Amino acid sequence: MHNVNVTFITDSNYILPTWVALRSVICSKSDDSNLKAYIIADRLSATDKNNLKLACLDSAGNQIDDVDIIFIDVDGKKEFEKQARKKKKSC
C-alpha cells in the first residue's frame, strides 16, 4: 500500500467543483493506495462539509475504507484583513 495526499482549497462557492474533483481522484486511485484529502475550508458550513464527505461513499452508500478527508478550517476574510494591516504598518 502507498499513501496519496491531495489538497483542495475551497469555500461555499466552490463546493460542487471541489466535490467533482475529489470524487474523480477517489474513482481514479489504485486499489493498493490510501488517499488522504486535505481540504482547506474557508468558512464552510456543516452542510457543505457533509456534502463533501458524500464523495467518499461507494455506490451502496458505504464509506470507502482507504479514503480520509481532513478539514483545515480557515477564515480567509480575517487572514486578508490581518495581512492588510501588516502591509499598512510596513509602508
Side-chain angles (χ1 to χ4, degrees):
M1 286 283 221
H2 64 279
N3 296 320
V4 176
N5 298 304
V6 295
T7 303
F8 296 94
I9 300 172
T10 193
D11 63 16
S12 60
N13 295 311
Y14 289 92
I15 290 299
L16 182 57
T18 303
W19 187 94
V20 170
L22 177 59
R23 187 66 186 173
S24 177
V25 170
I26 291 168
C27 291
S28 300
K29 75 174 203 60
S30 64
D31 291 335
D32 68 338
S33 63
N34 293 314
L35 175 68
K36 284 195 180 193
Y38 296 90
I39 300 179
I40 300 173
D42 186 2
R43 297 174 285 164
L44 291 185
S45 68
T47 300
D48 289 337
K49 289 179 181 180
N50 286 332
N51 286 335
L52 287 172
K53 290 177 185 177
L54 292 175
C56 298
L57 301 180
D58 63 18
S59 58
N62 300 312
Q63 174 70 33
I64 300 171
D65 290 333
D66 51 359
V67 176
D68 291 312
I69 295 181
I70 297 99
F71 289 99
I72 302 167
D73 294 312
V74 298
D75 186 332
K77 184 177 178 182
K78 284 184 182 177
E79 287 299 316
F80 178 80
E81 290 168 352
K82 183 178 166 183
Q83 293 301 320
R85 283 191 303 271
K86 281 184 182 179
K87 190 172 183 180
K88 282 183 181 179
K89 287 180 182 179
S90 67
C91 291

